Amino acid sequence: MNAATVLLTPWRAVPVGTRRLMAAFYLLACIAGTLIALFGHARTPWLAVALTYGVGLFAPWAFLFSGTVLLAKDARQLRVPALERVAVEALFAYALAMLLLPTAVFALIGWPWATPMIGWSLVMVGGFAFALLPRYVAVFCGFLPTLGHALAPGWPRLFPHAGGEPLPEIALLVLLAVAGWRWRGFVRGRISEQGWSSPTVVQLRYGSWGAWSQMQASGRNTLTLGQGGGNVAGCGPSRPVRSLRVGLGGWYTPRSLRWHVQQLAFMTVLLGVPALAIWLGHLRSSGGQDHGNVAVLLGAFFGFAVVASPMVCLLSWTWLSRRWQRVNTELPMLALLPGLGSAQARQQALLRAALQRPLAAHAACFVLVLAGSPWMPDALPVIGLQAVAVAVGALTSIALVLDVLGGRPHGLWTAGPLLAAMFVLQMASLVIGTLLGSHHAPGHASALLAGLLVGAGLLAGWSAHLARAGWRALAARPQPFVANPA
Amino acid sequence: MNAMLKDAADRPGPPLAARDLGHGYEGATVLRGIDLDIAAGSVLGLIGRNGAGKSTLLRALLGLLEPTTGETRVFGKPALAMDDGIRQRIAYVPQQPEALAWLTVAQMFDYLGRFYPRWNHAFARDTLARWQLPANKLFGKLSPGERQRVELVRALASEPELLVLDEPAAALDPVARRELLREIALRACEAGITVVFSTHIVSDLERVASDIAFLHQGRLLLHCPVDDTKERYARLWLPARLGPHAPASTLGRRSHADGSVSVVIERDAHGRWPDEAAQPGVRLDVLGLEDLFVEIAE
Amino acid sequence: MDASLLTIQPASPEPIYRQIVEQLRRLIAGGQLGAGDLLPSVRDVAAFHAINPMTVSRAYGMAESEGLLERLRGKGMAVAATVRPTQTQTQRLALLEPQLQALVRHARELELPADAVLRRLGRLLED
């Protein structure tokens, strides 16, 4: 076992895409750090460089080197102790190299090196521990800065001069202990690879789509939230649309009341954390003026609506494309299921089943905008433009769904730009609507408006064209439950 | 008279039929010019190597794909345009079934049972218990073998007249496989149902099939009663000096390193072997199905 | 008689229906099955051995036409009343037929002249 094998091991443990992305990210950070050191005008150049390098360290340790844990587990299960040892050795080798090399550079230049070294170790171990911790921890990680800011304002200032208390050192030890404990548990098979409590790193097992697609496909992501929650009550030949929704699965599935309650509780916790953070921040702000916070809430509200619309489209499109690719799942079952009526009736029921959910979700996005509008000074332009954007988004959803059902599924190359255009349109309509409604509307606002409407028209035309083609293809199909080529 | 007409209308054609069926994916041809009639009441074992096109043929027969050429019929109706009356009479279990993974087994049966007028609740319940399948577990959480057995119970519970199984035995242990074969045998005996199943486990075929069809590289090489494969076909081995006198065989011919030749031969209309079989020095082996399969497919 | 008395070897080159007939012949010739003994139903044999019922029917039909079995109204198949454990010489010789045919085949493959084989066989039988 030579050094090259050891050094190559972590790279072999992750998918190619991840590998390239992480290498690029780290190199970019290194280059950026060097450029800052050479040409930067920061007051404390060492801090700027150290921070840049620290950012570059996080991603590889969270998403690349963490992959060795998968390798180590497989090696242990296959009874190849040498490989497991190599995985650990590689980790230490990279950790030392990535830590000691820049530290040595810092020391040579004459910059302070002890603080950056501790900071970098924290980032590395933190990223590594992040990957090994359960998925639900990852969900909350995004809110940690907000929450931390709300609970202890000014905590970032502690960081560069952590002179008095050995806080970073303690944190480092805790993170190391956590990482070691999770590593042992995972490698020895005590920690499951499925569900919400599986480590985030399991994501790397299934290539670029990640484990989510696997879990979605088998319905496993709902396992920790009760027994699937599917509800077949009320299905049957008399209610073909509802029955077809069961067959379509995923977010089309009719669910039980209990499942909805569980989901609601989960979402409440999820949204409760940032809400709590904002509220705490509000309590701490001395002024008592809540304008700023209302603006934050409104922004969150509208921002959610803007992101949600393309997400709805993406969700139905990916879900149905995958459903229409696999020949051993629901497709043959639906094709051979009696009781759904004539070919025409089946087709209509399928269309309604496949479109009802996304269209309702688009409508819900619009309702969200309406619900937020009373707090705006002049909401009419926003509402009007959002109505246009939502309508165009709905049309895009219809087009993508029809193309899948008609047997002319679009790849990411068509759907990607379509979704991106939709996102830009939503965003622009929100911004321009707000501008038009505000007191200080710029002079060229009407030109912007015209541009926006032209863009909306173009996107609508494109979607309508796709929808028409999909509709014709669907009408020409002898039966709609024929798999599309992968 | 009316009853007779109705009877004729109910059963206008064979359970499954294909005419000049061809199919291909992205340039690769999977099926070529398949003509097949499956008689009512027969148990047809479809045999072929991995990638021979068995699954594609079964799916094409049921109208689950649009063939490039030819057409398939189910009970006399075009497979791509069958009505609910025909759908009620057929059941299909795909290879490695994964449908409705997000429902529990009980929910799945509850759901499907609503659509099949002849759904046998008692059979479903009893067989699940007998085969030790957990009714309250999510289908997606079962092992592949359990999933396959649940799907088989599902297919049988709808009391089909035509049962199509794609590699039903692949994920089953020997005991479960025997159970399945027994169930197929009894159904064929009592209800007179037609069964089509694909497999590469030849011993399953030999037990339960009444007919077999060899699919090789997208072509149907052989379709005959299963006993015929043992009585009508044999392998003739000729030493090197007699190699050139080997009978012309369309089924299979292999040359060996020492110059000897073996061919698969067939009895003529009078039940006689070709004359070459009587030459001194040649050897005639009656083959089991597995050997015949290897001889033809290699 | 019970269905378990039969043994089925699906992988053998001999078709299953012939295996059944052959075993019935032996069971009757050997006296394990006496005249009037009832045979298991087609369904029972098929279910027990997980084989196609048509194969069993075919075997029973063949045995019936050979005079081994007879169909009793309402009861199913039974060993024919005319059958005796001590059969005629021809019937007993018929049981040897498959082995004799195999012998002939092997002799041809070895390119042995018939009289040499017969001489040796005769000597073996006289011993």
Side-chain angles (χ1 to χ4, degrees):
Chain A
M1 198 69 69
N2 57 19
T5 319
V6 172
L7 290 183
L8 279 177
T9 304
W11 300 90
R12 291 179 175 150
V14 294
V16 181
T18 315
R19 210 185 289 172
R20 291 190 185 139
L21 200 66
M22 289 306 128
F25 188 81
Y26 177 69
L27 287 178
L28 217 63
C30 288
I31 293 169
T34 317
L35 290 178
I36 291 173
L38 291 177
F39 309 109
H41 298 289
R43 245 185 313 155
T44 43
W46 71 268
L47 188 59
V49 175
L51 284 178
T52 312
Y53 185 69
V55 170
L57 274 181
F58 180 79
W61 280 90
F63 304 113
L64 177 76
F65 295 112
S66 56
T68 48
V69 76
L70 303 175
L71 187 71
K73 179 180 182 177
D74 297 343
R76 175 171 280 260
Q77 286 187 344
L78 295 169
R79 306 281 184 274
V80 193
L83 192 56
E84 193 187 345
R85 213 174 48 239
V86 167
V88 179
E89 282 169 10
L91 272 189
F92 280 105
Y94 275 103
L96 285 179
M98 290 169 89
L99 195 59
L100 293 184
L101 281 178
T103 307
V105 172
F106 268 47
L108 280 176
I109 300 175
W111 282 348
W113 51 269
T115 314
M117 191 169 94
I118 298 219
W120 294 333
S121 334
L122 260 178
V123 170
M124 276 163 51
V125 179
F128 196 69
F130 164 83
L132 289 179
L133 282 171
R135 283 168 194 273
Y136 52 75
V137 175
V139 173
F140 287 109
C141 271
F143 300 126
L144 279 183
T146 327
L147 198 61
H149 183 69
L151 292 173
W155 65 273
R157 265 177 279 137
L158 288 173
F159 191 56
H161 341 265
E165 303 155 53
L167 212 58
E169 285 84 350
I170 294 175
L172 186 61
L173 287 179
V174 169
L175 283 176
L176 267 176
V178 167
W181 165 65
R182 290 291 290 184
W183 173 287
R184 262 176 78 90
F186 185 75
V187 167
R188 283 157 197 252
R190 285 199 298 268
I191 295 171
S192 158
E193 285 203 23
Q194 266 141 25
W196 279 97
S197 48
S198 64
T200 310
V201 67
V202 175
Q203 190 81 2
L204 290 175
R205 266 224 203 282
Y206 304 97
S208 52
W209 272 99
W212 290 107
S213 62
Q214 297 282 319
M215 286 160 61
Q216 290 259 316
S218 58
R220 282 174 198 235
N221 59 338
T222 52
L223 296 193
T224 47
L225 299 170
Q227 280 279 20
N231 185 13
V232 298
C235 293
S238 57
R239 297 181 68 182
V241 177
R242 189 181 169 86
S243 310
L244 277 174
R245 275 172 49 202
V246 171
L248 291 179
W251 78 317
Y252 289 104
T253 321
R255 307 281 187 179
S256 60
L257 185 66
R258 193 175 145 207
W259 186 85
H260 282 296
V261 170
Q262 279 170 336
Q263 289 288 306
L264 197 67
F266 184 70
M267 288 304 283
T268 312
V269 173
L270 204 68
L271 295 176
V273 172
L276 190 75
I278 292 170
W279 184 61
L280 283 175
H282 169 61
L283 283 188
R284 280 181 181 269
S285 66
S286 48
Q289 293 285 322
D290 58 355
H291 273 306
N293 290 309
V294 168
V296 166
L297 269 180
L298 264 183
F301 231 58
F302 288 135
F304 179 76
V306 166
V307 178
S309 203
M311 279 302 285
V312 165
C313 193
L314 178 73
L315 206 63
S316 0
W317 171 67
T318 48
W319 184 260
L320 289 180
S321 324
R322 196 163 315 127
R323 175 69 61 252
W324 255 256
Q325 264 175 16
R326 308 193 55 188
V327 295
N328 63 339
T329 55
E330 291 74 20
L331 220 47
M333 182 210 83
L334 289 175
L336 297 175
L337 196 66
L340 295 176
S342 67
Q344 207 184 357
R346 293 167 86 84
Q347 212 170 63
Q348 275 171 10
L350 172 64
L351 269 181
R352 283 175 57 195
L355 287 174
Q356 257 176 14
R357 268 289 153 109
L359 291 185
H362 280 298
C365 292
F366 185 61
V367 168
L368 212 58
V369 172
L370 281 184
S373 57
W375 283 277
M376 294 196 70
D378 182 5
L380 214 57
V382 171
I383 293 178
L385 286 180
Q386 279 290 309
V388 172
V390 165
V392 174
L395 189 59
T396 311
S397 284
I398 293 176
L400 288 177
V401 166
L402 277 178
D403 289 339
V404 171
L405 301 187
R408 320 158 35 100
H410 290 291
L412 205 57
W413 294 115
T414 316
L418 212 55
L419 289 169
M422 195 169 148
F423 178 72
V424 170
L425 181 72
Q426 286 273 358
M427 196 62 124
S429 71
L430 185 66
V431 170
I432 294 174
T434 318
L435 272 181
L436 285 175
S438 69
H439 304 298
H440 34 267
H444 56 278
S446 49
L448 281 178
L449 181 65
L452 179 69
L453 290 179
V454 169
L458 283 176
L459 184 56
W462 188 13
S463 296
H465 168 70
L466 290 180
R468 200 162 133 253
W471 169 255
R472 287 191 170 170
L474 177 62
R477 270 194 157 183
Q479 63 115 327
F481 300 102
V482 171
N484 297 331
Chain B
M1 185 65 195
N2 268 343
M4 267 173 69
L5 276 180
K6 191 174 173 298
D7 203 42
D10 273 352
R11 263 171 294 164
L16 284 175
R19 287 285 159 274
D20 186 35
L21 175 66
H23 193 64
Y25 301 107
E26 290 161 16
T29 311
V30 183
L31 299 175
R32 308 152 200 263
I34 300 222
D35 284 303
L36 184 64
D37 273 304
I38 297 171
S42 62
V43 179
L44 177 79
L46 182 63
I47 192 173
R49 299 188 65 179
N50 291 328
K54 302 189 291 288
S55 297
T56 311
L57 175 58
L58 292 184
R59 296 201 298 119
L61 284 171
L62 289 173
L64 298 176
L65 53 82
E66 289 179 53
T68 341
T69 63
E71 71 152 4
T72 57
R73 287 178 173 262
V74 182
F75 291 111
K77 289 257 176 65
L80 280 162
M82 56 175 129
D83 53 38
D84 279 353
I86 289 179
R87 285 197 182 92
Q88 287 167 9
R89 295 156 68 187
I90 58 187
Y92 164 66
V93 179
Q95 207 172 352
Q96 297 164 355
E98 280 178 14
L100 302 179
W102 51 86
L103 297 181
T104 64
V105 176
Q107 278 180 319
M108 186 171 134
F109 281 21
D110 179 14
Y111 173 73
L112 292 169
R114 296 161 194 246
F115 293 94
Y116 291 91
R118 289 193 304 272
W119 186 270
N120 191 336
H121 289 280
F123 170 85
R125 196 182 52 237
D126 297 347
T127 316
L128 281 184
R130 192 152 49 85
W131 289 7
Q132 296 172 354
L133 295 164
N136 288 317
K137 221 169 157 186
L138 283 188
F139 186 64
K141 281 184 96 176
L142 300 177
S143 74
E146 286 176 319
R147 280 208 290 271
Q148 190 131 38
R149 276 183 291 162
V150 167
E151 277 287 280
L152 291 167
V153 176
R154 186 268 297 166
L156 291 167
S158 68
E159 305 270 337
E161 289 168 44
L162 168 64
L163 181 60
V164 180
L165 310 172
D166 195 355
E167 296 280 358
L172 301 184
D173 62 63
V175 176
R177 226 163 68 204
R178 190 60 68 85
E179 286 265 12
L180 168 67
L181 294 179
R182 182 166 294 139
E183 198 59 49
I184 291 179
L186 287 180
R187 294 274 174 143
C189 174
E190 283 160 11
I193 69 169
T194 312
V195 184
V196 180
F197 68 104
S198 74
T199 186
H200 51 252
I201 304 176
V202 180
S203 61
D204 293 347
L205 266 177
E206 287 171 300
R207 275 189 185 277
V208 80
S210 64
D211 299 84
I212 71 148
F214 267 104
L215 193 66
H216 188 53
Q217 292 174 350
R219 281 179 217 282
L220 205 57
L221 288 190
L222 203 67
H223 177 204
C224 62
V226 74
D227 292 332
D228 275 12
T229 60
K230 290 176 175 175
E231 297 187 324
R232 277 188 53 198
Y233 297 95
R235 178 177 59 198
L236 193 66
W237 179 88
L238 301 106
R241 65 185 160 84
L242 290 175
H245 302 286
S249 164
T250 50
L251 277 176
R253 179 195 171 97
R254 282 203 289 167
S255 300
H256 304 287
D258 62 353
S260 60
V261 173
S262 49
V263 289
V264 175
I265 55 169
E266 188 181 352
R267 285 184 203 265
D268 63 12
H270 307 288
R272 284 189 308 251
W273 295 115
D275 295 337
E276 292 87 342
Q279 298 173 82
V282 302
R283 195 177 75 218
L284 185 81
D285 297 313
V286 180
L287 297 178
L289 202 49
E290 184 157 338
D291 288 326
L292 183 65
F293 173 44
V294 171
E295 210 61 44
I296 291 178
E298 209 171 25
Chain C
M1 181 204 168
D2 191 84
S4 61
L5 214 57
L6 298 167
T7 53
I8 306 293
Q9 289 174 321
S12 143
E14 199 178 9
I16 294 176
Y17 80 97
R18 284 192 184 277
Q19 293 179 31
I20 296 176
V21 175
E22 184 68 17
Q23 286 179 54
L24 288 178
R25 276 193 209 117
R26 285 172 192 283
L27 288 169
I28 291 169
Q32 285 106 318
L33 282 182
D37 281 359
L38 275 179
L39 269 86
S41 68
V42 167
R43 185 188 183 281
D44 285 351
V45 177
F48 186 86
H49 294 285
I51 55 178
N52 194 305
M54 283 193 281
T55 312
V56 185
S57 302
R58 189 173 178 189
Y60 279 11
M62 198 167 149
E64 190 184 7
S65 64
E66 275 184 23
L68 289 171
L69 304 179
E70 62 187 359
R71 200 175 293 272
L72 298 184
R73 197 172 283 271
K75 282 184 181 173
M77 282 289 189
V79 177
T82 51
V83 164
R84 296 277 171 277
T86 48
Q87 291 168 311
T88 63
Q89 187 180 335
T90 353
Q91 278 168 321
R92 290 201 302 270
L93 189 63
L95 291 178
L96 209 56
E97 190 65 21
Q99 284 80 0
L100 290 177
Q101 275 176 7
L103 179 69
V104 170
R105 197 153 53 87
H106 287 308
R108 283 220 187 105
E109 282 162 16
L110 294 169
E111 302 183 37
L112 291 171
D115 52 340
V117 176
L118 283 175
R119 236 179 292 133
R120 177 73 187 131
L121 194 62
R123 212 170 304 147
L124 282 176
L125 285 170
E126 280 159 18
D127 279 349

